[in-house]
Amino acid sequence: MKKILDLITEEMRQAFTKAGYDPKYAAVTLSNRPDLCEYQCNGALAAAREYKKAPVMIAKDCLEALSGNRLFSMAEAVPPGFINLKIEDGYLAGYLNEMAASEKFGLEETKEPETVIVDYGGANVAKPLHVGHLRPAIIGESIKRIGKYMGHHMMGDVHLGDWGLQIGLIITEMKRRRPELPYFDENYTGEYPTEPPFTLSQLSEIYPAASASSKEDPAYREEALLATRQLQQGRRGYRSLWQHILNVSIPDIKRIYDSLNVSFELWKKESDVDSYIPGMVEDMKAKGVAYLDEGALIVDVKEETDTKEVPPCIILKSDGSALYATTDIATILEREALYSPDKIIYVVDKRQEMHFVQVFRCCRKAGIVDEHTKLQFVGFGTMNGKDGKPFKTRDGGVMKLEDLLDEISREMYRKIMENHEADEAEARKTAAIVGLSALKYGDLSNQASKDYIFDIDRFTSFEGNTGPYILYTIVRIKSILNKYDREGGKGKETLLAPKSGSEKALMLVLTQFAPVLESAYEENAPHKICSFIYELANNFNRFYHETKIMGEEDQEKQASWIALLRLTKGILETCISLLGFEAPEKM
Ligand code: ARG
């Protein structure tokens, strides 16, 4: 379906042309003075220069040419030369009926589907998921869902961290604790045990202990670095221990992502690209892109126009081990080879921006991606506590993601029980669903790049710009529709021209669905969907408070409102599913 602004602009273009002006001036936008009009065209002001004529005269000429059209109920020229417009009520209702009948509420899927990989996991095996992993999961999942809805071929990749120092640290700690295990005996040639030498909870204690020791003791750190290198170089015992770490850790990581309603098409790991590294390095050397500098293999990536220093990208350390950039570059190589993506989007902490500048430039320079492959970095800001500092547990530690989810569910449960009596099991289930909306909406309603304050009280509130408020609105609509259906409402469900200002306002917001989604996709900006549904929910609630829907005696009028409610519900539900949460039946 054509977007309403395009239809209006088309009408305006004809009027401009007919009046003898260049139609390029005819662009119509949403009004920034909703008290005066719904749409406006400011083109006469710009045209004045070309035609050396007062803008208001031009506006009047165009309006004359417009007269008799069926789109506008009001079209007037106001000084200094604006054209203010209101859309004709019946036309608007007709447009909405068409939206309601179309599969995606009038949104046209892309005609050129792209293959897009979204890299938005980044959990590290053997380390518990913490709040730092929350934002990429929430934002990335939403970007992926929006792209899918637009008709693109989207793939999420979790890109687990499993090839770095954290593994070397665990190996070192295990070696100190249990030196008798065969993994550490270099002369051992037998099979290694199939049972892991640790449980999940032991593993989650081992990493922090190792990390603390390496900070205190340089020799410990050296040993861990050596173990990391030997793991990468293929030392059998270490590979076997590493495999145990993966086996124990990955199911737990999956479980936590599941509880966030986040899923990945690709469960790739840094280590998966290990086999690409030697060839990649040879190629970079052969092309003269990479060279040795004090034993390390590096690629210069600075450019003349840089305003800040972009250090060279280190591909191999002087001891031959791979670094974070190495696996990221090799991963791009693998993605090119396996999926030839049109675009790769990285949803990663904005403090890693320089790393990605280096990696992207290095890939272009080495010819790993061609110029058409878009590489985008969506850097997100920090989630802070109420004190404005990075979010911590009460005792100042790193908050585990699971604990955070529990806390928000508990708070939601308390609020639900406070509101009304409810069956406990039922309320707990609802609390988990609504709690997730509180968390996700609280995050997504901010522009990703901004820091924000995690305020559990505000996020879980049923009022204001929150997830629970949106869900509350949906539940309210559901309950009216259920009642209507139960009572056997039988009018013809066709939207009629709006009967009130609040009804028309609601209708106008609904027409924004497709344009909002398109720009949310183009700009990797789920927050635009949040602003849209907040406005939609506000407009719906205003309409609802002013309108006695169930008490209406005119069946046709009532059924027209029911149609409006169904459309509003459909759009709200679609939007929240694109944000990655859902509404309960009751609240
Ligand atoms: N594992 C990394 C970390 O915890 C994040 C990975 C982000 N993605 C990437 N392709 N580098 O910092």
Side-chain angles (χ1 to χ4, degrees), residues 119-124 127 130 132-133 136 157-162 166 270 324 327-328 331 335 346-349 352 355-356:
D119 182 317
Y120 67 97
N124 300 306
K127 294 195 206 173
H130 58 79
H133 295 112
D157 182 1
V158 67
H159 195 74
L160 293 176
D162 72 333
Q166 93 261 29
E270 289 172 344
Y324 189 39
T327 48
D328 261 325
T331 300
R335 287 173 180 162
Y346 290 86
V347 185
V348 182
D349 192 314
Q352 291 193 26
H355 164 78
F356 284 99

